[in-house]
Amino acid sequence: MMKQKITDLFKEKFGSVGEMFASAGRINLIGEHTDYNGGYVFPGAIDKGLMAMIRPDGSNTVKAYSMDYDQFAEFGLEEEDKPEQQWACYIFGVCREIIKRGGKIGGFETVFAGDVPLGAGLSSSAALESTFAFALNELFGCGLDKFELARVGQSTEHNYCGVKCGIMDQFASCFGRKDCLIRLNCKTMEYKYFPFNPKGYKLVLIDSCVKHELASSAYNKRRESCENATAAIRRNHPEVECLSDAKRLWLDEVREEIPEEDFLRAEYVIGEVQRVLDVCDALERGDYETVGEMMYQTHFGLSKLYEVSCEELDFLNRLARKCDVTGSRVMGGGFGGCTINLVKEELYDAFIGEAVKKFTEKFGHAPKIYDVVISDGARKL
Ligand code: GLA
């Protein structure tokens, strides 16, 4: 349906048709705020994403139409041509980052639309970046590999959107594969696909619909805390390149030297890196109870040590416990967005019913429920 609408609109705006590309949002089972610390993450692409029809037109400008915003933007490919609309900045950033890497791209026309809920922590922006990075690389024969395409998206966030994010989201939307989660070592970029099809369980996201204004500056601040802690540890242990290299004991050694806040952030990260490995082991044994328990531990850490949760998400997490949900935690960067829940099929209806009812009573608006299916990432349709 989305495909048809995009095609129709493209014809209407630009006269004929182009080629169609797509990419996906992502979930992350465990391993949060570990990516920019060189640790492990465990994401997968989902069945909600973004589609774009694109046609190079031999010009030097980009003419883009966002169906979701019902807005048109036109901009050139030179550094000073940065467009006003935020959504267009992502496309502009991707173009600039490909050009910086030697890709010879020209102007094009595009119409795109997506169904990743915005601000829910499902990486709608990575879906947008990956779709265009993948597509432009194909259409203009730039010869970048998938790692580089993920970095194009990440650098777009850093240089054009003010978020000093890690590589997880763009990696997941470039490398995503149906029915698989991907364990990625963000230091070495080694990765492994894990088939994920937990029989008898469902993965469900509950969106608090809370969005915090200052999320990107708070995110960047977390990153700085981790860098401070790492620098202190490195004075004693020069081999430590990133926080994930540090042992818990080494962090304790510098406790008095760094602000308490930085200590707590680092304490969380060191624990979380280990939890990803424990979850992968548990999955291979089919031990979903352990997977779930680790998710609760992550939530505790994100809420009390890393402090990226909020009242609404803590409420959903406690409610999950009460409803005997196997695992539950805030997902993504935090400061609003979703909890991810691993729930036994037979408990699913009761849990969702209770969550919607109790949440609405307490906060005056209903949460949104998303069932997710692990799907393919960036591709040509
Ligand atoms: C955001 C960032 C990612 C990652 C997560 C937290 O989604 O874009 O790089 O740091 O937050 O795990």
Side-chain angles (χ1 to χ4, degrees):
M1 230 191 50
M2 197 196 293
K3 200 173 165 188
Q4 194 54 51
K5 279 193 182 158
I6 292 173
T7 309
D8 292 347
L9 196 67
F10 194 99
K11 277 190 204 149
E12 188 189 313
K13 300 267 171 202
F14 303 118
S16 63
V17 293
E19 293 183 72
M20 192 74 98
F21 295 86
S23 188
R26 61 104 188 85
I27 56 146
N28 184 29
L29 190 63
I30 198 152
E32 219 65 88
H33 290 278
T34 46
D35 57 355
Y36 52 83
N37 286 303
Y40 289 98
V41 292
F42 200 30
I46 55 173
D47 58 333
K48 300 188 192 320
L50 191 127
M51 252 179 228
M53 180 166 272
I54 307 177
R55 185 180 62 185
D57 65 356
S59 76
N60 229 338
T61 60
V62 175
K63 297 159 204 77
Y65 190 80
S66 158
M67 278 182 62
D68 304 318
Y69 286 98
D70 190 16
Q71 282 176 0
F72 181 75
E74 179 163 355
F75 55 84
L77 295 168
E78 304 295 326
E79 187 62 44
E80 56 276 11
D81 297 338
K82 190 172 173 204
E84 267 167 33
Q85 296 101 320
Q86 179 65 31
W87 62 264
C89 279
Y90 289 109
I91 303 177
F92 176 76
V94 166
C95 294
R96 291 299 313 156
E97 291 298 329
I98 291 181
I99 293 169
K100 281 185 201 165
R101 286 163 176 77
K104 298 211 179 340
I105 61 171
F108 57 90
E109 300 158 335
T110 181
V111 171
F112 71 96
D115 61 0
V116 186
L118 302 178
L122 298 177
S123 280
S124 54
S125 63
L128 178 55
E129 291 149 5
S130 308
T131 304
F132 280 91
F134 184 91
L136 298 177
N137 188 48
E138 289 271 314
L139 290 168
F140 292 99
C142 303
L144 302 177
D145 66 19
K146 281 209 276 182
F147 289 109
E148 212 46 44
L149 295 180
R151 286 193 197 98
V152 162
Q154 183 192 22
S155 307
T156 296
E157 299 277 352
H158 285 208
N159 300 331
Y160 301 93
C161 313
V163 185
K164 301 286 177 202
C165 66
I167 194 71
M168 170 170 75
D169 305 347
Q170 292 77 13
F171 178 87
S173 70
C174 288
F175 285 76
R177 181 185 288 176
K178 193 172 172 355
D179 295 331
C180 287
L181 296 179
I182 324 167
R183 185 181 69 197
L184 171 69
N185 177 329
C186 298
K187 186 178 172 188
T188 62
M189 295 304 281
E190 280 166 301
Y191 63 99
K192 182 180 167 190
Y193 288 100
F194 283 70
F196 185 74
N197 196 359
K199 289 222 165 40
Y201 292 83
K202 282 180 120 169
L203 264 190
V204 58
L205 306 179
I206 305 190
D207 185 357
S208 64
C209 302
V210 176
K211 288 176 199 150
H212 285 283
E213 282 294 314
L214 294 170
S216 50
S217 61
Y219 180 94
N220 295 346
K221 207 161 158 252
R222 296 299 180 285
R223 187 168 183 152
E224 274 168 33
S225 283
C226 293
E227 280 159 12
N228 280 343
T230 311
I233 297 171
R234 193 179 296 129
R235 287 197 281 275
N236 298 332
H237 304 276
E239 69 274 31
V240 169
E241 288 170 25
C242 47
L243 192 49
S244 66
D245 294 333
K247 296 199 169 61
R248 175 56 208 265
L249 199 67
W250 300 352
L251 174 63
D252 291 335
E253 289 167 4
V254 299
R255 182 158 200 166
E256 304 305 319
E257 296 164 33
I258 57 176
E260 177 70 3
E261 196 177 275
D262 296 355
F263 177 85
L264 296 176
R265 309 296 189 239
E267 182 185 6
Y268 160 77
V269 170
I270 293 173
E272 181 73 353
V273 171
Q274 183 58 44
R275 278 191 289 274
V276 181
L277 297 175
D278 293 346
V279 159
C280 291
D281 288 346
L283 262 190
E284 285 184 324
R285 298 193 302 270
D287 174 3
Y288 296 109
E289 292 308 308
T290 300
V291 173
E293 206 40 53
M294 293 289 159
M295 292 169 74
Y296 281 110
Q297 283 185 24
T298 295
H299 185 86
F300 176 87
L302 286 171
S303 175
K304 302 292 182 276
L305 306 175
Y306 220 68
E307 295 182 282
V308 295
S309 185
C310 60
E311 202 195 334
E312 290 84 350
L313 293 166
D314 287 344
F315 181 84
L316 287 171
N317 182 259
R318 281 196 303 275
L319 204 73
R321 255 295 189 218
K322 269 197 214 138
C323 294
D324 288 327
V325 170
T326 307
S328 175
R329 65 178 194 81
V330 42
M331 193 187 71
F335 314 104
C338 290
T339 59
I340 176 169
N341 302 274
L342 180 68
V343 55
K344 288 209 178 91
E345 265 165 15
E346 65 265 27
L347 297 177
Y348 178 87
D349 289 341
F351 169 51
I352 297 301
E354 190 71 358
V356 171
K357 178 165 168 273
K358 290 276 161 61
F359 187 96
T360 311
E361 272 167 24
K362 175 132 176 100
F363 298 107
H365 68 270
K368 291 193 181 134
I369 311 296
Y370 313 122
D371 292 308
V372 287
V373 178
I374 311 297
S375 306
D376 288 327
R379 63 206 181 274
K380 184 168 191 282
L381 295 182

